[in-house]
Structure formats: C-alpha cells, structure tokens
Amino acid sequence: MAPSGQVRRGERQPAATAAVARVSVDVPLPYHLDFPFDYRIPAECDADAKPGTRVRVRFRGKLTDGFLLERVEHTEVADKIKYIERVVSPEVVLTPEIHALARVVADRYVGSLANVLRLAVPPRHARAEAKAADEPVGPPERPAADGWQRYTRGPAYLDALAAGRSANAVWQALPGEDWPARLAEVAATVASAGKGVVVVVPDYRDVNRVFAACQRLMDGVVALSADLGPGERYKRWLSVLRGTVRVVVGTKAATFAPVADPGLFVVWDDGDSGHAEQLAPYPHVRDVLVQRAHMAGASLLVAAFARTAEAQLLVDTGWAPEIVAAREQLRAAAPRVTAIGETDVQLARDEAARTARLPAIAFEAAREALKAGRPVLVQVPRRGYVPALACANCRVRAQCRKCAGPLSLPGGNDNGAPRPAECRWCGAVEVMFRCTACGSRRLRAVVVGSKRTAEELGRAFPGFVVRTSGAGEVLAEVPDAPALVVATPGAEPHAVGGYGAALLLDGWAILGRADLRATEEALRLWMTAAGMVVPAAAGGRVIVTAESSLPTVQALVRWDPVWHAALELSGRTELGFPPAVRMATIDGVPDAVNAVLDDLRLPGTGEILGPVPLGEDKERALVRASRAEGRALAEAIAAAVRVRTARKDPDQVRVRMDPLELL
C-alpha cells in the first residue's frame, strides 16, 4: 500500500480547482432520482470539462452519457464519488439558457430533466462536430414588409421589433394571406437588429415554404426538422449553436434551438396537434416558447388563420395584444362561405341539401371554379375508402368475428371483383358478414373516406384530373390548373394561384367528436382550407356541409375566429377546463391511480375529477387547480409520483399536464 500523501503509478488525480462535476445522466431514472449526480473531474480532463459538455460516466455499473451541468469545489459524498471516465467532446452543446429552460419545462410538465434534454439537444455526430465553424453571417437589411400594412397594428409591431423592444402579439392572418412571406419579413426585421429568431411550424411542408421565403430576404437561415438524417441535423444545429446563422425555421424539433441573443420566437398554427410532443414529458411548443420568451426577455408571435382558446387567453390577460385587419380588408380578402340551410331559397332549390353528402351548391361551386381554370379543394375528414361500416338494417357497427375490431372496405379490385370488407385491427377478411344484433347480411357506409370520395368525384366530373393528398402520399403543391384535389385535414397542398373553391365535407364527423376541443379544431381545419381560396371578388367559394345555425359554422361564414375563441374560452372558464385552469391527467391501472391520488396534497383550489375507466383495465383521473396555483399543482403531483417511485411500486402511471385530449 502506498504511504499517505504519495500517488500510485497510474492512479487518477483530481483537477486542481472545482474538481466536482454535477452531471445529468442520460438514462431513464425513477422520478425521485431526478437530480444531478456528483463525479470527480480527473486532472487530464480539466481543460475540456466545461459546463455544457458531454461526458461519459459510470452509473449503476454501466458506462452512460451525460451532460456536465456545473463544476463546484465540494460535494457531500466526497468519499464515494467516482471519476468521470472521459469528456466526449470539448464542444459546449448545452448552453445555460437551454439548461435553465429545460429545467423549467421539466418542472412544469412533471417530467425529468434528462427527458427534456433529449428533446433539446440532438445526438452527437462526430464528423459534423469535427468541421470548423463557418464565419457568422452579418445582419440583413430591414425589409419593406408592405404586406403588414393591411393590419392595424402591423407596422407599429415591426417598428418595435426593429428597435429591439419586447413585443408579444397574436396575429390573425387574413384569408389568402401569403403567411410564409409575412413571417419571413418579421424574422428579417428582427435579424436586421442583430437578434436571433426561431420560427416553429407544424410540418415539413410549412418548413420548406417559410425557409424559402426567408432565403429570399436574407442569408444565415437554417431549417431544422426531425426528418433530417442524424448527421445533417446535427450539422445544422451546430451552425446555430456556434452563431453562424441567426434564423431557425423548423418543426417542434427547433423549439429548443440555441440561437444566440434571441429576439423573437414564432409559432404558426398553434392549435395543430403537431406542436404537441408525443414523448415524455409531453410539452407543447406554444407553452415552451412562452416560457422561453419570458426567460430570455424576447418577443413571442402566435400566428394562425384561426385562434385557439390559449391564444385568446394571452390576449385577454394583456400579455400579447392582437394584430388583426380592419373589416374592409377582411371583406376584400375573404372568399364567399356558404353553409347548409342558410336561406330558404337554398333548401327550396335542393330539398336534399341537409342529407346529401354533396349538395347541389357544392357541385355548382366546383363547376364554376373548374370552368374558371382553377383547382378545387375537397376536404374529407377520413382517409381510406370506406373506413367504417355498419349494419344496413339496424345501424349497429360492423365488427370482426375474430377480434371484434371495426370492419372497413379497403377499395380496389381482386381479379375484377370488388375487395370484400376486412378488419382494421387484425386484417381478417369478412366475406360472410352477419349482424350480431339483427342477423342482417347487408352493410352500409358510416363515413366515406378520401379514396371513395375521389372515385365518386371522378365520375361526377369526367375529363378533369383528380388528385389525392393524405397519409400515404402528401402533396406539397398543385399547379394553377383545373383539377379536383381530395385531401384529409392537414394534408391540403398549397395551390400556386389559389383554389377557386373549397368543399368541406362531412362536417358532422369533425364537430361530433367526443373531445373538449372538437369545435375549436373543426374551425381551425376549415379556416386552414378556406384560407387557400381566392377572394370572393375573384370567384372564390367555400361550401361547408354543416348546419348554418351552429356557432362554429357561423364563425366560418363571418370569418370571425376571434369571436369563436372568446366564446370557447368563456365556456371553458365556466366549466373549469384548460386554459382557464391548469389540469393534469393521471392514467394507469386502478390501484396505481388511487395510490397517487391518496398521496396527493392539493393546493387550495385543487380538485379531483374521477377516476373514470379508460378500457383495458385502466383508469383516468383529472386533477385541476387555478392558473395562479398551477405551479403548486405540478409540484404536488410530482411529490406524489416521487413517493410512488421511491417505494418501487411495479405499476406505472402516466401524468400529462394540460393535454390536448381530456375526454
């Protein structure tokens, strides 16, 4: 044994100063272990072991990755801590701003820091990291941005951004607006002041459009999305981290982009489900950017054709003033919207208007648009051929005899004969259907999918091209030529010259969903499609096959999403649902859910609803509190979950704060 004070040959020595590293290990930890672990920094790693670097450490006997969060002089477990194995790279990939934001997001959504860091920092790619950083791009000139003159507060908003002032806003885009160009003008205005910009949009097609619009105004723009390869994504992310570029455009993967000196964060169409992360702790882009703008002293712009209740709450509280156009501008830009039953004359001319899937006014609008040489957009809520079947006699849903799954018609032919019904769950073919309720062998369609719709329109409009855009193949763009474009919601392609008409079919299928946000989502989907149609002065028509007396339909007819959002927020406030309150869902087997509820110490306004069965031996409990006590609610739920994981209870529970789906 070596004498005291002497060093054995090959024995590692700690760094001279601040030799203790606080490390966030990249492993799925029980919630009660969501804290950094202390490791000793060896002398040979002293120069590279900077806060924010990636390190390799031994945790529970295995080598794992982690982030060095900070260096300190002392630790409470000095005799037990291990040495860091090595510094993976001297590149500081976790900036103090992103680390602080990740911690806030983890606490707000009752998650762990490691899970948020997986969303914030992409996996390392050594080849991309080895390349030297390019020279930073200088700020562009401020663009003219004439398109913002149509909005009452538009020019003043751009002036505030150019001056570097914090200016939050909720922007309501006019129908037919070239919104990628408007967002590019806002981004260039902020970049001209030497500030960074992050623009988050729902999908890759939107990324491409906004990115192209930004490139026309300035250099130093990068596109980030999850569908990029690991090498290319990390290369672009590094260009942001190293300050080479100022403007980032991307999907939710860009929410945590480490732009230098951020001045503006933008989220387009915040009601789109693509902005909700599907990985724990399930954060929403809008809420993360609200937190980030507040912490960084930057501006936030929430923009869309429609408006969510959450955006309306930002306006009502004064946190973000609204940017809307004057009524005369709206009348000049909007297409003519027609609903079912809005006049007695309409019903007299077409007695079957309320029951027909394609009423006479829809055919009339489509013929006029095709005659004018423009494409026609047909929005269908469901993809497939006939995705749902029922007994033609008693209307009971048709089920598979093997697994009780729903039957559907896949469409197409086998050796010239139509393909029979098949199960959507197990794929079993059903050639001898018999209703379990009445014994009938006849089937009827409950809802018609996009493929069947395209087939019917092809027969109704011979000689015209019929295109489909949906889950199998999503079109990015269609030319300015007469054609019928059948698309599912969210897959509507951009029309170069605008659509001549839009037919919004099966309104009942969207409005009738058992969901808290059904009406809000219906209006958002309709307005997104209707916003692609040319103005009424150019012959633009929108036909929505839903009853005109419904408030959601009236909001579309009058193009008044602000009124509808205020109505929606008022209703949720009265009923005590988000965003008027903070609410969490707790899912799991009954014993696990009840155990969490027993350990829950709610704040003063806290309340438990349920539990209610979810099926498959699972239950869901809703827990809510006032917005003022939202942080206390999250802390209370975190404490209850922490107790459960510390006891090593086998059954897991899933907690989601302010989820999009509550029912």
Side-chain angles (χ1 to χ4, degrees):
M1 185 174 181
S4 177
Q6 293 187 8
V7 179
R8 296 176 181 176
R9 179 178 296 179
E11 185 177 359
R12 306 183 84 179
Q13 291 298 302
T17 59
V20 177
R22 299 273 164 81
V23 177
S24 173
V25 292
D26 188 15
V27 294
L29 292 172
Y31 195 69
H32 68 285
L33 296 179
D34 181 31
F35 52 79
F37 294 86
D38 290 352
Y39 288 86
R40 203 174 299 282
I41 301 173
E44 64 270 20
C45 296
D46 189 16
D48 292 339
K50 298 183 287 290
T53 55
R54 301 179 199 261
V55 294
R56 291 280 283 176
V57 297
R58 193 166 293 279
F59 185 79
R60 292 180 174 176
K62 296 181 180 180
L63 280 176
T64 186
D65 294 323
F67 292 100
L68 197 161
L69 302 181
E70 62 175 332
R71 293 180 60 164
V72 297
E73 291 288 349
H74 305 289
T75 176
E76 296 178 358
V77 288
D79 297 334
K80 301 179 181 179
I81 65 174
K82 302 179 180 67
Y83 277 99
I84 285 175
E85 294 295 324
R86 65 186 178 91
V87 177
V88 176
S89 166
E91 188 88 43
V92 177
V93 294
L94 181 60
T95 64
E97 182 216 352
I98 299 302
H99 173 213
L101 177 64
R103 183 68 267 172
V104 169
V105 171
D107 293 341
R108 176 181 174 84
Y109 286 95
V110 192
S112 67
L113 178 65
N115 284 341
V116 180
L117 291 181
R118 288 194 198 104
L119 304 176
V121 183
R124 179 174 180 258
H125 196 273
R127 185 178 300 175
E129 199 172 83
K131 295 181 180 179
D134 296 329
E135 288 295 321
V137 177
E141 295 183 1
R142 180 180 173 179
D146 293 335
W148 285 92
Q149 299 292 334
R150 297 197 295 170
Y151 300 89
T152 305
R153 296 179 178 175
Y157 180 69
L158 293 182
D159 291 341
L161 293 177
R165 299 196 300 271
S166 178
N168 305 315
V170 173
W171 172 44
Q172 220 61 58
L174 285 168
E177 179 66 270
D178 186 4
W179 60 268
R182 301 292 83 78
L183 295 186
E185 291 164 358
V186 171
T189 299
V190 176
S192 68
K195 298 280 188 175
V197 182
V198 176
V199 181
V200 184
V201 294
D203 63 35
Y204 73 95
R205 296 176 302 153
D206 299 325
V207 171
N208 294 338
R209 292 185 63 195
V210 177
F211 179 65
C214 288
Q215 281 191 313
R216 289 192 287 268
L217 296 180
M218 57 186 157
D219 296 324
V221 186
V222 71
L224 284 179
S225 58
D227 58 338
L228 296 171
E232 182 61 25
R233 181 187 174 191
Y234 193 62
K235 174 186 173 183
R236 298 185 186 185
W237 186 85
L238 278 178
S239 68
V240 180
L241 177 70
R242 294 170 175 176
T244 303
V245 299
R246 297 178 185 274
V247 179
V248 179
V249 180
T251 55
K252 60 177 179 283
T255 307
F256 294 91
V259 291
D261 193 13
L264 177 67
F265 301 103
V266 180
V267 54
W268 169 259
D269 199 7
D270 63 301
D272 193 295
S273 60
H275 288 306
E277 182 58 61
Q278 299 303 308
L279 300 176
Y282 317 107
H284 193 282
V285 167
R286 176 192 56 246
D287 297 338
V288 173
L289 292 184
V290 167
Q291 292 291 330
R292 191 173 180 186
H294 175 72
M295 295 172 65
S299 302
L300 175 70
L301 178 62
V302 179
F305 286 117
R307 182 179 292 186
T308 61
E310 286 79 5
Q312 184 62 34
L313 182 64
L314 296 179
V315 174
D316 287 353
T317 57
W319 195 84
E322 62 182 6
I323 299 177
V324 296
R327 203 66 194 174
E328 57 269 16
Q329 292 286 353
L330 176 59
R331 284 194 291 266
R336 178 188 170 192
V337 183
T338 303
I340 302 302
E342 66 178 19
T343 65
D344 293 336
V345 175
Q346 179 197 111
L347 295 177
R349 293 179 59 187
D350 183 10
E351 296 180 357
R354 282 196 168 98
T355 57
R357 186 161 184 258
L358 271 172
I361 53 173
F363 279 101
E364 178 187 344
R367 281 194 293 268
E368 290 178 357
L370 294 172
K371 185 178 179 180
R374 296 186 183 276
V376 175
L377 176 63
V378 184
Q379 187 189 73
V380 183
R382 306 285 178 85
R383 63 177 183 265
Y385 192 73
V386 180
L389 293 168
C391 172
N393 185 47
C394 66
R395 303 298 194 264
V396 171
R397 285 292 182 105
Q399 294 180 317
C400 173
R401 285 183 289 180
K402 290 186 176 181
C403 68
L407 294 182
S408 66
L409 285 179
N413 297 281
D414 286 334
N415 298 323
R419 294 173 61 187
E422 63 181 34
C423 178
R424 287 167 52 192
W425 289 0
C426 69
V429 176
E430 180 60 83
V431 294
M432 296 293 291
F433 168 78
R434 182 182 289 276
C435 178
T436 57
C438 69
S440 173
R441 292 186 176 277
R442 296 185 301 121
L443 289 167
R444 70 183 297 272
V446 175
V447 64
V448 177
S450 57
K451 289 184 179 179
R452 176 65 179 269
T453 303
E455 184 180 286
E456 293 174 349
L457 290 174
R459 291 195 294 264
F461 296 93
F464 290 100
V465 176
V466 180
R467 295 184 172 91
T468 59
S469 181
E473 181 182 0
V474 179
L475 302 178
E477 192 174 84
V478 293
D480 188 15
L484 293 155
V485 182
V486 182
T488 52
E492 300 91 347
H494 170 65
V496 175
Y499 289 100
L503 313 181
L504 311 177
L505 304 186
D506 302 333
W508 59 268
I510 300 179
L511 290 170
R513 292 187 305 125
D515 192 299
L516 175 69
R517 302 173 186 270
T519 56
E520 179 182 278
E521 178 69 358
L523 184 61
R524 187 189 70 82
L525 295 175
W526 290 342
M527 282 193 158
T528 299
M532 301 180 181
V533 180
V534 298
R541 294 280 306 275
V542 175
I543 309 299
V544 54
T545 58
E547 186 61 42
S548 62
S549 60
L550 297 175
T552 307
V553 179
Q554 279 299 305
L556 176 66
V557 171
R558 302 199 308 264
W559 203 273
D560 197 353
V562 176
W563 169 77
H564 189 270
L567 191 68
E568 186 78 10
L569 180 59
S570 175
R572 295 193 203 172
T573 301
E574 183 177 351
L575 296 174
F577 282 106
V581 299
R582 291 295 308 280
M583 181 172 281
T585 60
I586 303 176
D587 300 349
V589 297
D591 289 344
V593 173
N594 289 326
V596 172
L597 297 180
D598 290 341
D599 293 329
L600 197 56
R601 300 295 178 263
L602 291 174
T605 60
E607 183 182 7
I608 297 174
L609 305 177
V612 295
L614 278 182
E616 299 182 2
D617 299 325
K618 289 188 177 182
E619 290 185 345
R620 167 173 293 176
L622 302 180
V623 185
R624 65 185 177 188
S626 66
R627 292 195 64 84
E629 293 187 328
R631 179 178 296 181
L633 175 65
E635 292 174 352
I637 296 175
V641 174
R642 194 176 294 117
V643 169
R644 178 173 178 77
T645 58
R647 290 197 304 248
K648 298 183 179 179
D649 290 338
D651 296 321
Q652 295 183 347
V653 295
R654 185 178 73 165
V655 177
R656 301 189 71 166
M657 296 295 296
D658 297 332
L660 291 181
E661 296 181 357
L662 293 176
L663 306 177

